[in-house]
Amino acid sequence: MADLIAQGPQNYHRWRREVPDAAMRRDVVIGRSDADWNVPWDPLISRAHVRLIPQADGRLEVIAVASARNPVYHQGRHAVRFVLVPGDHFVIGKTTFTLAAATGKRSPERLGDQAAEDGLDVTENVFDHVALRRKHFRDVNARIDVLTRLPDLIASSDSDQELLVRVTSVLLQSTPSAEAVSILSAGDLQHDPDAPIEVLHYDNRSATLGGSPISRRLVQRSIEKRESILNVWASGDSTLTTSAFTAREDVDWAYCVPLRTQACRGWVIYITGKLPDTETMTGSGHPVDVSDQLHDDVKFAELVGTTMASLQQSRQLQRRQAAMSNFFAPIVMRALASGDSEKVLQPREAELTVMFCDLRGFSSRSEQDSQQLLQLLSDVSDALGVMTKHILGYDGVIGDFHGDAAMGFWGWPLAQDQSILQAAGAALAIQAEYHRSDLGFRCGIGLAHGRAVAGQIGTKDQVKVTAFGPVVNLSSRLESMSKRFGAEIILDEATRTALLAAGRHGVRLRRLAKVRPAGFATPVEISELIGDAAIGTHQVTDALIADYEAALDLFRASDLDGALRLFRSLPTWDGPTQMMIQQILSGESEGEVIDLPK
């Protein structure tokens, strides 16, 4: 297998990618944004600039994309199609692309074991990461530029792969004695010595040099100790001189830095290199202390690794929160972020305001669109989306869906002093949007307030976040009554009282009746919440509300004739008025309470 190396105008403008095997029949597009391999630093590279076609003999065919704006140069000439051999390169804009042989880099060797077999000593130095951080760089100026740019450089990575590329490039360019840098995933090496080591990304200083070997023993000990460890491979005695002292011609030493976060569990930074002959002896003629010489490099790798691990941990949390946001309301996510999830989601009693919202016109639409069920499903989803958008927008929790109805509630997991006002605001917003939309649906809404149990409720096989209790049942019954009364939003007495006490500007209420819902022994005073949305071409005025409530008072005082005359004087399009006229004419009203069947 071969690698393609991209090198831009700055040292950190660099990546190294493995070319797919020709047998995979996979082409690769290089570009600036809409490509398999992006080169974000070079504005002269188009969104998709060249296509790479791997060949069976290790070569690489390069074809310029027709829409590419700027020329591709190969061997000093403008070219639109050519073949690249290992060691060859091409140029686009300010970036050079070199094809490098990478023989053996995906097969980590047991370097530590091999060194012992060859009679070579391994000198090991373990760096305590806490003590290492306290020590100062000997040459701060040599590191300061990279360190100041490091957080932005890493954080601006668009993907995990881009992050690996940038970290590897920064370490290689900032460690003069390093020949190769790898980021490895050792998996469960601590518990299974034979577990595979995966090379997440690697780069080296030479375009022709293959991958440096990897000591499994060094990686394993670094992970076990959770510390950076330096190994130096020397011959015979432990003095480091210019004699042949390494297990390989291109490797004198290697150090391994573990990444200490759960998001990077088993990940290590692995750096190998050579010591220049001129640096193997001190000025006094004594052998150089390699660990002392590489101290700054190990410390720098620790800082880079800590920054990278922290970013990965943050990204993992963001991905987890994004996934959870599909299941939990924003207010639940805020509660989860500030406390133990099991405690937050545990069922408990709370003062809740519960809303049931049901589509009107669904049955007729189902019959009408029976041959276009997918379109019907899309329309219903859009209509339910109106409900959920405003429930969540007013800091509510989606408790459940019942066919073409949604249930939401307020007051859990965080107590909400304004839960009733928020629920009423959501109800009015839902009503207004349905009146403005062309979805072909209307809705009925029931709101009730009281004690209930909320949390993660269910069986051992299936659970969901919802609410349970009489107030939930009452809210459902109120929603059903909205159809019978011809009123879109119906409230219980607790909700009405709270709205009146708040004196919220623009909220209008109409007492409808005292009813006994099916399954309830205690009568409930119900009211209508009236928004600005007109009912057809008609608007419920303050005068209509006053006349209706006057007629209702006559009905409750058993003056049915007086109540009937006044109700009949009201507009015929008003649903609650027509409901009360039918109730009086049915002869079933013997008191102020109206018993409603299911």
Side-chain angles (χ1 to χ4, degrees), residues 235-274:
S235 62
D237 59 15
S238 59
T239 60
L240 307 181
T241 66
T242 59
S243 61
F245 92 135
T246 61
R248 253 183 70 149
E249 180 181 323
D250 55 318
V251 173
D252 285 346
W253 52 262
Y255 58 83
C256 189
V257 177
L259 305 188
R260 306 176 187 88
T261 66
Q262 190 61 33
C264 300
R265 184 174 176 270
W267 287 22
V268 299
I269 294 172
Y270 193 95
I271 301 180
T272 59
K274 285 179 63 65

Short mmCIF file of all heavy atoms in Angstrom, two decimals, residues 235-274:
data_model
loop_
_atom_site.label_atom_id
_atom_site.label_comp_id
_atom_site.label_asym_id
_atom_site.label_seq_id
_atom_site.Cartn_x
_atom_site.Cartn_y
_atom_site.Cartn_z
N SER A 235 23.02 -0.93 22.49
CA SER A 235 23.75 -2.20 22.42
C SER A 235 24.60 -2.39 23.67
O SER A 235 25.13 -1.45 24.23
CB SER A 235 24.66 -2.20 21.19
OG SER A 235 25.60 -1.17 21.29
N GLY A 236 24.73 -3.65 24.08
CA GLY A 236 25.66 -4.03 25.14
C GLY A 236 25.48 -3.24 26.41
O GLY A 236 24.54 -3.47 27.16
N ASP A 237 26.36 -2.26 26.67
CA ASP A 237 26.26 -1.48 27.89
C ASP A 237 25.25 -0.36 27.70
O ASP A 237 24.72 -0.15 26.63
CB ASP A 237 27.63 -0.90 28.28
CG ASP A 237 28.21 -0.01 27.21
OD1 ASP A 237 27.45 0.41 26.29
OD2 ASP A 237 29.40 0.28 27.27
N SER A 238 24.99 0.37 28.78
CA SER A 238 23.95 1.40 28.75
C SER A 238 24.48 2.76 28.36
O SER A 238 23.73 3.72 28.32
CB SER A 238 23.28 1.50 30.13
OG SER A 238 24.26 1.80 31.10
N THR A 239 25.78 2.89 28.10
CA THR A 239 26.30 4.18 27.67
C THR A 239 25.92 4.42 26.23
O THR A 239 26.02 3.52 25.40
CB THR A 239 27.83 4.22 27.83
OG1 THR A 239 28.39 3.20 27.03
CG2 THR A 239 28.24 4.07 29.28
N LEU A 240 25.50 5.60 25.92
CA LEU A 240 25.02 5.93 24.59
C LEU A 240 26.11 6.64 23.83
O LEU A 240 26.40 7.81 24.06
CB LEU A 240 23.76 6.81 24.71
CG LEU A 240 22.66 6.23 25.60
CD1 LEU A 240 21.47 7.16 25.61
CD2 LEU A 240 22.28 4.84 25.13
N THR A 241 26.73 5.94 22.95
CA THR A 241 27.78 6.53 22.15
C THR A 241 27.39 6.43 20.70
O THR A 241 26.30 6.03 20.36
CB THR A 241 29.11 5.79 22.38
OG1 THR A 241 28.98 4.47 21.89
CG2 THR A 241 29.46 5.74 23.86
N THR A 242 28.33 6.77 19.84
CA THR A 242 28.02 6.74 18.42
C THR A 242 28.09 5.34 17.84
O THR A 242 27.90 5.15 16.64
CB THR A 242 28.99 7.63 17.65
OG1 THR A 242 30.33 7.17 17.89
CG2 THR A 242 28.85 9.08 18.08
N SER A 243 28.37 4.33 18.67
CA SER A 243 28.39 2.96 18.18
C SER A 243 26.99 2.51 17.80
O SER A 243 26.00 3.12 18.21
CB SER A 243 28.96 2.03 19.25
OG SER A 243 28.14 2.09 20.40
N ALA A 244 26.94 1.39 17.03
CA ALA A 244 25.62 0.88 16.62
C ALA A 244 24.84 0.53 17.88
O ALA A 244 25.23 -0.33 18.65
CB ALA A 244 25.81 -0.35 15.74
N PHE A 245 23.75 1.22 18.09
CA PHE A 245 23.07 1.00 19.37
C PHE A 245 21.57 0.87 19.23
O PHE A 245 20.85 0.83 20.22
CB PHE A 245 23.48 2.12 20.35
CG PHE A 245 22.59 3.33 20.39
CD1 PHE A 245 22.21 3.88 21.61
CD2 PHE A 245 22.12 3.94 19.25
CE1 PHE A 245 21.40 5.00 21.67
CE2 PHE A 245 21.31 5.05 19.31
CZ PHE A 245 20.96 5.59 20.52
N THR A 246 21.04 0.81 18.05
CA THR A 246 19.60 0.71 17.90
C THR A 246 19.19 -0.58 17.25
O THR A 246 19.98 -1.25 16.58
CB THR A 246 19.07 1.87 17.04
OG1 THR A 246 19.67 1.79 15.76
CG2 THR A 246 19.36 3.21 17.66
N ALA A 247 17.89 -0.94 17.46
CA ALA A 247 17.36 -2.16 16.88
C ALA A 247 17.10 -1.98 15.39
O ALA A 247 16.98 -2.95 14.66
CB ALA A 247 16.06 -2.55 17.59
N ARG A 248 16.98 -0.74 14.96
CA ARG A 248 16.77 -0.47 13.55
C ARG A 248 17.60 0.73 13.15
O ARG A 248 17.88 1.61 13.96
CB ARG A 248 15.28 -0.18 13.28
CG ARG A 248 14.57 -1.31 12.56
CD ARG A 248 13.13 -0.91 12.27
NE ARG A 248 13.07 0.12 11.25
CZ ARG A 248 12.05 0.25 10.40
NH1 ARG A 248 11.04 -0.58 10.46
NH2 ARG A 248 12.05 1.21 9.50
N GLU A 249 17.91 0.81 11.89
CA GLU A 249 18.76 1.90 11.42
C GLU A 249 18.10 3.25 11.62
O GLU A 249 18.77 4.25 11.85
CB GLU A 249 19.07 1.66 9.94
CG GLU A 249 19.96 2.73 9.33
CD GLU A 249 20.22 2.45 7.86
OE1 GLU A 249 20.37 1.27 7.50
OE2 GLU A 249 20.24 3.41 7.09
N ASP A 250 16.75 3.30 11.51
CA ASP A 250 16.06 4.59 11.56
C ASP A 250 15.43 4.89 12.91
O ASP A 250 14.68 5.84 13.02
CB ASP A 250 14.97 4.62 10.47
CG ASP A 250 14.00 3.46 10.60
OD1 ASP A 250 14.47 2.33 10.87
OD2 ASP A 250 12.78 3.68 10.46
N VAL A 251 15.70 4.09 13.94
CA VAL A 251 15.06 4.30 15.24
C VAL A 251 16.10 4.19 16.35
O VAL A 251 16.80 3.19 16.47
CB VAL A 251 13.94 3.27 15.50
CG1 VAL A 251 13.40 3.41 16.92
CG2 VAL A 251 12.81 3.46 14.50
N ASP A 252 16.27 5.24 17.16
CA ASP A 252 17.09 5.20 18.37
C ASP A 252 16.23 5.11 19.61
O ASP A 252 16.62 4.52 20.60
CB ASP A 252 17.95 6.47 18.49
CG ASP A 252 19.12 6.46 17.51
OD1 ASP A 252 19.40 5.39 16.96
OD2 ASP A 252 19.72 7.53 17.30
N TRP A 253 15.08 5.76 19.56
CA TRP A 253 14.22 5.84 20.74
C TRP A 253 12.76 5.91 20.33
O TRP A 253 12.43 6.18 19.16
CB TRP A 253 14.57 7.07 21.59
CG TRP A 253 14.61 8.37 20.81
CD1 TRP A 253 15.70 8.98 20.30
CD2 TRP A 253 13.47 9.16 20.40
NE1 TRP A 253 15.35 10.12 19.61
CE2 TRP A 253 13.98 10.26 19.66
CE3 TRP A 253 12.11 9.08 20.59
CZ2 TRP A 253 13.16 11.24 19.10
CZ3 TRP A 253 11.29 10.05 20.05
CH2 TRP A 253 11.81 11.13 19.31
N ALA A 254 11.89 5.67 21.29
CA ALA A 254 10.45 5.84 21.08
C ALA A 254 9.83 6.22 22.41
O ALA A 254 10.25 5.73 23.47
CB ALA A 254 9.82 4.56 20.55
N TYR A 255 8.88 7.11 22.39
CA TYR A 255 8.11 7.35 23.61
C TYR A 255 6.62 7.29 23.30
O TYR A 255 6.17 7.56 22.18
CB TYR A 255 8.51 8.65 24.33
CG TYR A 255 8.39 9.92 23.55
CD1 TYR A 255 7.18 10.59 23.43
CD2 TYR A 255 9.53 10.51 22.99
CE1 TYR A 255 7.10 11.79 22.74
CE2 TYR A 255 9.45 11.71 22.31
CZ TYR A 255 8.23 12.35 22.19
OH TYR A 255 8.14 13.53 21.52
N CYS A 256 5.88 6.90 24.31
CA CYS A 256 4.44 6.65 24.17
C CYS A 256 3.71 7.48 25.21
O CYS A 256 4.05 7.46 26.40
CB CYS A 256 4.16 5.16 24.39
SG CYS A 256 2.48 4.66 24.00
N VAL A 257 2.72 8.26 24.75
CA VAL A 257 1.94 9.15 25.63
C VAL A 257 0.49 8.70 25.62
O VAL A 257 -0.17 8.74 24.57
CB VAL A 257 2.04 10.62 25.15
CG1 VAL A 257 1.18 11.52 26.02
CG2 VAL A 257 3.49 11.08 25.12
N PRO A 258 -0.05 8.24 26.75
CA PRO A 258 -1.46 7.80 26.78
C PRO A 258 -2.41 8.99 26.85
O PRO A 258 -2.08 10.02 27.46
CB PRO A 258 -1.53 6.96 28.06
CG PRO A 258 -0.51 7.58 28.97
CD PRO A 258 0.60 8.09 28.07
N LEU A 259 -3.57 8.86 26.23
CA LEU A 259 -4.61 9.90 26.32
C LEU A 259 -5.59 9.47 27.40
O LEU A 259 -6.21 8.42 27.30
CB LEU A 259 -5.30 10.07 24.96
CG LEU A 259 -4.38 10.38 23.78
CD1 LEU A 259 -5.20 10.73 22.54
CD2 LEU A 259 -3.42 11.51 24.11
N ARG A 260 -5.73 10.32 28.41
CA ARG A 260 -6.41 9.89 29.64
C ARG A 260 -7.85 10.38 29.72
O ARG A 260 -8.24 11.05 30.68
CB ARG A 260 -5.63 10.38 30.86
CG ARG A 260 -4.17 9.95 30.86
CD ARG A 260 -3.41 10.53 32.03
NE ARG A 260 -1.99 10.26 31.95
CZ ARG A 260 -1.12 11.02 31.32
NH1 ARG A 260 -1.54 12.13 30.71
NH2 ARG A 260 0.15 10.70 31.27
N THR A 261 -8.66 10.10 28.71
CA THR A 261 -10.09 10.38 28.80
C THR A 261 -10.85 9.17 28.30
O THR A 261 -10.32 8.36 27.53
CB THR A 261 -10.51 11.60 27.94
OG1 THR A 261 -10.31 11.29 26.56
CG2 THR A 261 -9.75 12.85 28.32
N GLN A 262 -12.09 9.04 28.73
CA GLN A 262 -12.91 7.91 28.31
C GLN A 262 -13.17 7.96 26.81
O GLN A 262 -13.29 6.92 26.15
CB GLN A 262 -14.25 7.93 29.07
CG GLN A 262 -15.09 6.66 28.90
CD GLN A 262 -14.39 5.42 29.40
OE1 GLN A 262 -13.64 5.47 30.36
NE2 GLN A 262 -14.66 4.29 28.76
N ALA A 263 -13.24 9.17 26.26
CA ALA A 263 -13.49 9.30 24.82
C ALA A 263 -12.33 8.76 23.99
O ALA A 263 -12.52 8.38 22.84
CB ALA A 263 -13.74 10.77 24.46
N CYS A 264 -11.11 8.74 24.56
CA CYS A 264 -9.93 8.25 23.84
C CYS A 264 -9.36 7.02 24.55
O CYS A 264 -8.14 6.82 24.60
CB CYS A 264 -8.87 9.34 23.76
SG CYS A 264 -9.38 10.83 22.89
N ARG A 265 -10.22 6.21 25.09
CA ARG A 265 -9.77 5.04 25.85
C ARG A 265 -8.92 4.13 24.96
O ARG A 265 -9.36 3.72 23.88
CB ARG A 265 -10.98 4.26 26.37
CG ARG A 265 -10.64 3.08 27.27
CD ARG A 265 -11.90 2.47 27.85
NE ARG A 265 -11.59 1.29 28.63
CZ ARG A 265 -11.54 0.06 28.14
NH1 ARG A 265 -11.77 -0.13 26.85
NH2 ARG A 265 -11.25 -0.96 28.91
N GLY A 266 -7.70 3.84 25.44
CA GLY A 266 -6.80 2.98 24.68
C GLY A 266 -6.00 3.70 23.62
O GLY A 266 -5.18 3.09 22.94
N TRP A 267 -6.18 5.00 23.47
CA TRP A 267 -5.43 5.77 22.47
C TRP A 267 -4.09 6.22 23.05
O TRP A 267 -3.99 6.57 24.24
CB TRP A 267 -6.20 7.01 22.04
CG TRP A 267 -7.38 6.75 21.16
CD1 TRP A 267 -8.07 5.58 21.04
CD2 TRP A 267 -8.02 7.69 20.30
NE1 TRP A 267 -9.11 5.74 20.16
CE2 TRP A 267 -9.10 7.02 19.69
CE3 TRP A 267 -7.79 9.02 19.99
CZ2 TRP A 267 -9.95 7.65 18.78
CZ3 TRP A 267 -8.64 9.65 19.10
CH2 TRP A 267 -9.70 8.96 18.49
N VAL A 268 -3.08 6.20 22.21
CA VAL A 268 -1.76 6.71 22.61
C VAL A 268 -1.15 7.48 21.45
O VAL A 268 -1.47 7.25 20.29
CB VAL A 268 -0.80 5.56 23.02
CG1 VAL A 268 -1.35 4.79 24.22
CG2 VAL A 268 -0.53 4.63 21.85
N ILE A 269 -0.27 8.42 21.80
CA ILE A 269 0.60 9.07 20.82
C ILE A 269 1.94 8.34 20.87
O ILE A 269 2.52 8.18 21.95
CB ILE A 269 0.77 10.56 21.14
CG1 ILE A 269 -0.56 11.30 20.98
CG2 ILE A 269 1.83 11.19 20.24
CD1 ILE A 269 -0.52 12.74 21.45
N TYR A 270 2.43 7.90 19.74
CA TYR A 270 3.66 7.10 19.67
C TYR A 270 4.63 7.79 18.72
O TYR A 270 4.34 7.97 17.54
CB TYR A 270 3.33 5.70 19.17
CG TYR A 270 4.44 4.69 19.34
CD1 TYR A 270 4.47 3.85 20.45
CD2 TYR A 270 5.45 4.56 18.39
CE1 TYR A 270 5.47 2.91 20.62
CE2 TYR A 270 6.45 3.64 18.55
CZ TYR A 270 6.47 2.81 19.67
OH TYR A 270 7.46 1.88 19.83
N ILE A 271 5.78 8.21 19.26
CA ILE A 271 6.76 8.97 18.48
C ILE A 271 8.10 8.26 18.52
O ILE A 271 8.56 7.84 19.59
CB ILE A 271 6.90 10.41 19.03
CG1 ILE A 271 5.53 11.12 18.98
CG2 ILE A 271 7.94 11.19 18.25
CD1 ILE A 271 5.56 12.54 19.51
N THR A 272 8.71 8.10 17.35
CA THR A 272 10.02 7.47 17.25
C THR A 272 10.99 8.43 16.58
O THR A 272 10.59 9.32 15.82
CB THR A 272 9.97 6.17 16.42
OG1 THR A 272 9.48 6.49 15.10
CG2 THR A 272 9.03 5.17 17.05
N GLY A 273 12.29 8.23 16.83
CA GLY A 273 13.26 9.11 16.20
C GLY A 273 14.69 8.66 16.42
O GLY A 273 14.96 7.61 17.02
N LYS A 274 15.62 9.49 15.95
CA LYS A 274 17.05 9.24 16.07
C LYS A 274 17.72 10.41 16.78
O LYS A 274 17.26 11.54 16.72
CB LYS A 274 17.69 9.07 14.68
CG LYS A 274 17.41 7.74 14.02
CD LYS A 274 18.06 7.66 12.64
CE LYS A 274 19.57 7.76 12.72
NZ LYS A 274 20.19 6.60 13.42
#
